[in-house]
């Protein structure tokens, strides 16, 4: 009858869902890993390019400092020769102390550019000769030999050395400028590669998003067709209807919508297979509510009891404010099937019984109790007759509890 059809059709729908979900999950993982790897690689290259640019700029700074120091040394020497006042030697002394360190820093900085090796050697030689020329003239002046000091200057060797230093520095600046241009180009290329990777990943993500939406739509249509196929076979017959919803769902959504939706999805993943295992058909779902049809009251009550047990186990370690508790109502009777949905007082009474059930509890009609009490050892607490909205006659309601011996 009903049970083989449910198992076959729902098994097929579940298989299709798992296949689609596996493909989508694999695609998402691949895209994520590709994005992380590409971003890491390109960011490393970009960081290296920026460091190289900063390094080249530092070399240019050393070149400028070196020229400035030599000029300061020459100014200090000339001031002393003209005035014989040793206070004029202060710029010379500061410069000569700093020249060696600056030259070493420059030499180390340009070591990554083989074209600069010869320039550094020439520069180091000319600077050594220039400083020697300055020291000799200062020494003659200090000994009182002003004419001898001036004679050293008049040889023109100092000017020739200084012109050579300036020309070498100019050559080195040009080489560093070319190197800087290359590194700026590399940095821009890295930026363009990053933009391209971001664009490609965004495009791939969009494609997979479209595929996921299409797959989800197909699954929804398949589920709808499965439901309609099942319910169309029911026509008008005696069925057990189970209505369930989560107690305090609206308040939970106000508190933390994202977390509540995530927990709701986990709950659905838990209870949907339980309904299926008891030969139930999920007729409709709306937010936190579920309406399911069963071929017998016994299947419905067994399903409801298992749902409440599994829900209690699943939330045993959760804080009270984080628990999702179902209220379940069950009724049995004649129902009408039309366009894949179920209608009639049987359905309405099940919904009203669910509304008066306690969170985590089950409320049934007398008809359901009469169907199951001889086949299951359960405790039925009589709640009396309940007047229910849009139901003409009061309904005899019972709260169902498992017998302690079954706990």
């Amino acid at each position: 009858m009903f049970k083989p059809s449910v198992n076959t059709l729902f098994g097929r729908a579940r298989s299709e869902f798992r296949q689609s979900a596996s493909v989508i999950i694999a695609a998402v993982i691949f895209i994520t890993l590709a994005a992380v790897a590409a971003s890491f690689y390109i960011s490393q290259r970009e960081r290296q390019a920026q460091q190289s640019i900063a390094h080249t700029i530092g070399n240019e700074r050393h070149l400028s400092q070196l020229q400035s120091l030599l000029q300061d040394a020459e100014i200090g020497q000339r001031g002393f020769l003209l005035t014989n006042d040793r206070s004029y030697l202060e710029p010379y002394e500061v410069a000569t102390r700093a020249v060696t360190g600056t030259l070493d820093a420059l030499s180390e900085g340009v070591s990554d550019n083989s074209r600069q090796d010869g320039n550094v050697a020439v520069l180091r030689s000319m600077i050594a000769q220039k400083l020697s020329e300055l020291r000799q003239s200062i020494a003659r002046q200090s000994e009182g030999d002003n004419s001898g000091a001036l004679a050293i200057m008049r040889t023109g060797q100092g000017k020739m050395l200084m012109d050579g230093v300036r020309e070498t520095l100019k050559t080195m600046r040009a080489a560093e400028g070319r190197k800087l241009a290359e590194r700026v180009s590399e940095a821009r290329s890295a930026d363009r590669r990053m933009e391209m990777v971001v664009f490609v990943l965004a495009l791939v993500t969009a494609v997979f998003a479209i595929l996921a939406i299409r797959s989800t739509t197909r699954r929804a249509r398949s589920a709808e067709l499965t439901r309609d196929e099942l319910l169309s076979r029911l026509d008008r017959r005696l069925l057990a209807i189970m209505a369930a919803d989560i107690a305090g769902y609206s308040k939970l959504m106000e508190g933390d919508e994202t977390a509540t939706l995530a927990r709701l999805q986990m709950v659905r993943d838990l209870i949907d297979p339980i309904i299926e295992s008891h030969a139930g058909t999920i007729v409709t779902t709306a937010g936190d509510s579920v309406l399911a049809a069963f071929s017998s009251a016994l299947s419905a009550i067994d399903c409801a009891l298992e749902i409440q047990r599994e829900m209690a186990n699943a939330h045993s370690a959760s804080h009270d404010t984080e628990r999702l508790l179902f209220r379940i109502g069950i009724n049995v009777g004649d129902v009408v099937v039309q366009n894949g949905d179920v209608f009639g007082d049987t359905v309405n009474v099940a919904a009203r019984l669910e509304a008066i059930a306690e969170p985590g509890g089950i409320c049934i009609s007398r008809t359901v109790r009469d169907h199951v009490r001889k086949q299951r050892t359960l405790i039925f607490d009589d709640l009396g007759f309940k007047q229910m909205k849009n139901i003409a006659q009061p309904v005899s309601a019972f709260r169902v509890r498992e017998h302690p011996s079954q706990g």
Side-chain angles (χ1 to χ4, degrees):
M1 292 173 61
F2 185 51
K3 182 174 181 180
S5 299
V6 173
N7 289 338
T8 301
L9 292 173
F10 268 100
R12 184 177 65 204
R14 185 172 65 250
S15 176
E16 293 176 357
F17 172 79
R18 287 175 178 172
Q19 291 176 0
S20 299
S22 298
V23 172
I24 293 172
I25 291 172
V28 170
I29 293 174
F30 173 77
I31 293 172
T32 302
L33 291 177
V36 171
S39 298
F40 177 78
Y41 172 75
I42 295 176
S43 64
Q44 286 291 102
R45 293 293 301 272
E46 185 175 8
R47 187 179 299 110
Q48 291 172 359
Q50 294 297 335
Q51 289 174 348
S52 297
I53 290 172
H55 179 78
T56 303
I57 292 173
N59 291 341
E60 292 184 341
R61 186 173 61 252
H62 291 319
L63 290 169
S64 297
Q65 288 175 343
L66 202 56
Q67 183 171 342
S68 178
L69 289 171
L70 291 173
Q71 289 172 345
D72 287 348
E74 195 172 51
I75 289 171
Q77 174 242 19
R78 289 176 180 177
F80 177 62
L81 296 185
L82 291 174
T83 64
N84 201 33
D85 184 352
R86 297 196 67 86
S87 63
Y88 280 91
L89 289 177
E90 183 177 352
Y92 164 81
E93 293 170 349
V94 172
T96 53
R97 286 196 298 269
V99 163
T100 302
T102 305
L103 185 57
D104 290 342
L106 175 64
S107 178
E108 182 178 354
V110 299
S111 61
D112 60 342
N113 188 350
S114 59
R115 290 176 292 184
Q116 295 284 38
D117 293 344
N119 292 329
V120 171
V122 171
L123 184 63
R124 192 181 292 275
S125 174
M126 287 191 296
I127 288 176
Q129 294 178 60
K130 178 61 181 177
L131 292 179
S132 175
E133 182 258 341
L134 294 177
R135 281 195 300 270
Q136 291 177 27
S137 61
I138 291 172
R140 292 288 181 89
Q141 181 71 16
S142 299
E143 294 169 357
D145 185 4
N146 180 256
S147 60
L150 294 175
I152 294 174
M153 290 184 60
R154 291 192 183 100
T155 61
Q157 182 183 10
K159 181 180 183 302
M160 181 183 66
L161 290 170
M162 196 62 185
D163 288 344
V165 168
R166 290 191 183 96
E167 188 63 29
T168 304
L169 291 175
K170 181 179 178 181
T171 300
M172 294 184 71
R173 283 195 185 94
E176 290 302 304
R178 289 191 294 271
K179 195 71 173 178
L180 179 62
E182 293 174 4
R183 288 169 173 173
V184 169
S185 178
E186 290 175 1
R188 289 174 179 171
S189 297
D191 289 338
R192 286 193 294 270
R193 287 194 294 271
M194 175 63 83
E195 292 172 358
M196 182 60 68
V197 168
V198 171
F199 173 77
V200 171
L201 289 176
L203 182 62
V204 173
T205 301
V207 170
F208 274 102
I210 293 172
L211 293 176
I213 292 172
R214 292 181 62 182
S215 176
T216 301
T217 303
R218 285 197 301 268
R219 292 199 305 273
R221 289 175 180 172
S222 176
E224 184 177 353
L225 291 173
T226 300
R227 184 199 66 183
D228 291 345
E229 184 179 348
L230 290 170
L231 294 179
S232 65
R233 301 174 188 177
L234 296 180
D235 209 351
R236 184 182 184 97
R237 63 172 61 186
L238 188 71
L239 289 176
I241 302 298
M242 182 183 77
D245 78 352
I246 294 174
Y249 180 73
S250 298
K251 185 176 180 181
L252 291 170
M253 287 288 286
E254 290 177 3
D256 190 337
E257 181 176 329
T258 302
T260 301
L261 288 173
R263 293 202 298 273
L264 175 61
Q265 184 59 51
M266 289 189 291
V267 167
R268 288 300 307 277
D269 292 341
L270 175 67
I271 70 168
D272 287 9
I274 295 176
I275 294 173
E276 179 187 343
S277 69
H278 289 279
T281 301
I282 296 177
V283 181
T284 59
T285 61
D288 63 315
S289 63
V290 177
L291 186 70
F294 297 81
S295 57
S296 72
L298 191 62
S299 296
I301 198 72
D302 288 344
C303 178
L305 290 168
E306 184 175 352
I307 286 174
Q308 297 296 36
R309 283 196 301 270
E310 293 300 322
M311 289 289 290
N313 292 335
H315 294 87
S316 60
S318 301
H319 192 274
D320 289 344
T321 58
E322 298 177 349
R323 292 182 179 179
L324 297 183
L325 300 176
F326 266 110
R327 296 179 301 187
I328 297 178
I330 303 175
N331 190 27
V332 65
D334 192 47
V335 298
V336 176
V337 179
Q338 184 178 5
N339 297 326
D341 210 342
V342 289
F343 302 92
D345 282 348
T346 298
V347 180
N348 296 335
V349 169
R352 302 293 182 263
L353 289 169
E354 170 265 306
I356 64 175
E358 298 176 347
I362 304 169
C363 190
I364 64 174
S365 65
R366 178 179 293 274
T367 309
V368 175
R369 187 206 64 164
D370 293 344
H371 275 79
V372 303
R373 65 177 176 175
K374 292 183 180 180
Q375 301 180 66
R376 295 289 184 269
T377 304
L378 300 169
I379 298 174
F380 302 96
D381 298 326
D382 192 345
L383 301 179
F385 284 87
K386 300 291 183 179
Q387 188 65 54
M388 297 178 175
K389 183 179 179 181
N390 297 328
I391 304 299
Q393 299 297 325
V395 176
S396 177
F398 292 83
R399 179 172 54 241
V400 180
R401 293 182 291 127
E402 291 190 276
H403 198 278
S405 61
Q406 296 177 321

